[in-house]
Amino acid sequence: MSHFYKMVNGRLAAIFLFVTLFAIPMAQAQTDTIPPKLKKERVWKLSDYLQVHGFVDAQYDYALQPENNGTMTKKSVMMLRRARFEFTGQFHPMLDFRLQADLAFTPRLLDAWLRVKFCKYAHLWIGQIKTPYTMDNFLSPLDLEFVELSQSVAALAGFNDISGIPEYANGMEIGAMLSGTLVDYKKGDERIPILNYYAGIFGGAGINIKKDNLSKDFSARIDFYPFVKNFRLSGSVYYGNYPLYKDRDVPRNRWSGGAEYKGKHWTARAEYLQGVTGIAEDDPMTADSVYLVNTKGLYAFVGYWFYMGWGSKSNVQQRIRPLFRYDYYVGDKNNPFSKTNYFSFDLEWWPEEHVRVHLDYTLKCRADHKKPGHTFAAKVSVRF
């Protein structure tokens, strides 16, 4: 814990020092070009280059989980799921950064990147960033449609990774990535993208971990907008390995493909994911044996936004969205009892722009249990 705080404090200090050393000379240079009569009206503000944001998630879960003997286990949990604070800033039109930490449970550093925007074709990201695998991974928890990720995204995108490595968290890695718009067209004063890309080299060890090896991981995503408003097709890959044993790396390869429609009212997304992951063989007589797990899954959801005000004289808009998701998952294609089908019903409500309320019910049908499970979740998010 103390190591984490020292690391975060050190990085925060470095960021503030860099902002101060960079911004003050720039402000002074701009002031020198202003006529004497106007100099008093020009005031440099740190807020022009640095902003502070954050949000807090409070959640309650109630679950009924079937056991092998036919009984039902009850679980009731209240938790502060997330408490995130972030610093974002733009030193120059070509240079911005983001630094984010989560203080809930075990505090840890999440986003920590610097981006150089050379042109629309090439943005260079350096630091700890989201890997461009799947459409869900780049979304903030405040933008995700359901309380929980789909099973396949959680298992293959580095949240609750199938490998069991706890450092694979939040879909992030340390590395460098290029992104940009390869093809677009002009409509009025707006540039509409047709083909976007993301491609990067990553350490492959998870967040806040350095990895001493010659081979690095590769991840890329292509988003295609086929001249249909609010619609995109997406495909992504992740190829790499991780050290299962002291002197042996094993595969951690994944790919996905999907489509999304996001309009003012209707929202829908579907994605298929598949991956091969090396894990330790369950044979105590075989030293350093490896078993390749073939994992696959599919999720699809649809939702509809309703917009309304608090009253005829109110300018405060609230919005409500009911959603339904089907979530199919196979943890290991060689194990017929690893198949699950989840059916989720969710009600998302924004009473105003800083408060979000989720009510969620999931019916869990598992091949290894005769009875289905049930999960109820309620979550309140407050952002600032």
Side-chain angles (χ1 to χ4, degrees), residues 205-219:
I207 63 173
N208 306 323
I209 298 294
K210 65 179 182 180
K211 185 179 181 182
D212 182 15
N213 70 341
L214 296 178
S215 65
K216 302 301 179 185
D217 294 358
F218 171 77
S219 182

Side-chain angles (χ1 to χ4, degrees), residues 63-353:
L64 293 171
Q65 178 63 42
E67 301 295 337
N68 293 329
N69 58 9
T71 62
M72 299 290 287
T73 300
K74 299 180 180 180
K75 182 178 71 171
S76 178
V77 178
M78 297 186 71
M79 57 182 162
L80 185 66
R81 183 167 181 177
R82 300 180 184 93
R84 296 192 180 181
F85 296 84
E86 69 173 20
F87 298 90
T88 60
Q90 182 163 319
F91 309 135
H92 184 273
M94 291 178 58
L95 188 66
D96 63 355
F97 78 93
R98 184 180 187 186
L99 183 67
Q100 180 182 209
D102 194 339
L103 304 184
F105 299 106
T106 302
R108 56 187 172 184
L109 183 68
L110 299 178
D111 291 280
W113 51 257
L114 184 72
R115 177 171 57 176
V116 184
K117 295 178 282 187
F118 296 107
C119 61
K120 68 177 182 179
Y121 305 108
H123 293 182
L124 175 63
W125 310 58
I126 301 174
Q128 185 159 281
I129 52 184
K130 289 275 192 178
T131 61
Y133 175 66
T134 81
M135 292 187 285
D136 275 12
N137 196 23
F138 266 23
L139 296 177
S140 161
L142 290 175
D143 296 323
L144 286 170
E145 295 80 7
F146 291 82
V147 173
E148 302 295 342
L149 290 163
S150 67
Q151 301 171 86
S152 52
V153 171
L156 295 176
F159 290 86
N160 185 19
D161 201 86
I162 190 69
S163 66
I165 305 298
E167 286 77 17
Y168 294 135
N170 298 91
M172 295 179 175
E173 289 282 356
I174 299 172
M177 180 175 70
L178 279 175
S179 68
T181 299
L182 294 178
V183 184
D184 64 358
Y185 69 97
K186 188 175 182 180
K187 184 177 181 181
D189 296 331
E190 185 181 4
R191 303 295 304 187
I192 308 298
I194 298 176
L195 190 64
N196 290 343
Y197 79 95
Y198 305 83
I201 302 296
F202 302 94
I207 63 173
N208 306 323
I209 298 294
K210 65 179 182 180
K211 185 179 181 182
D212 182 15
N213 70 341
L214 296 178
S215 65
K216 302 301 179 185
D217 294 358
F218 171 77
S219 182
R221 191 180 87 215
I222 291 290
D223 291 335
F224 173 56
Y225 301 83
F227 300 98
V228 177
K229 188 176 181 180
N230 302 320
F231 179 73
R232 68 164 167 157
L233 299 171
S234 181
S236 64
V237 296
Y238 187 101
Y239 289 109
N241 55 61
Y242 73 100
L244 179 61
Y245 300 110
K246 182 178 180 181
D247 298 319
R248 185 171 183 181
D249 287 352
V250 295
R252 186 170 171 259
N253 301 328
R254 293 93 197 266
W255 65 272
S256 72
E260 178 186 60
Y261 176 82
K262 184 178 287 188
K264 180 179 179 181
H265 292 283
W266 285 104
T267 305
R269 184 163 66 251
E271 194 168 20
Y272 175 84
L273 299 89
Q274 187 166 347
V276 175
T277 308
I279 65 172
E281 180 74 62
D282 294 330
D283 184 358
M285 302 301 294
T286 305
D288 294 353
S289 59
V290 175
Y291 175 63
L292 295 180
V293 177
N294 194 318
T295 303
K296 63 181 181 179
L298 168 71
Y299 73 86
F301 79 83
V302 62
Y304 186 87
W305 281 114
F306 294 91
Y307 299 87
M308 60 200 75
W310 283 103
S312 58
K313 296 182 180 181
S314 175
N315 293 323
V316 177
Q317 286 289 316
Q318 61 173 322
R319 49 195 174 118
I320 299 175
R321 177 169 62 172
L323 299 116
F324 168 75
R325 180 176 69 188
Y326 171 63
D327 181 8
Y328 171 72
Y329 177 67
V330 180
D332 181 1
K333 73 172 186 178
N334 294 323
N335 180 3
F337 295 104
S338 69
K339 297 180 181 180
T340 59
N341 291 276
Y342 287 6
F343 303 88
S344 298
F345 302 87
D346 188 276
L347 186 64
E348 178 184 2
W349 175 37
W350 289 85
E352 60 98 32
E353 64 177 343

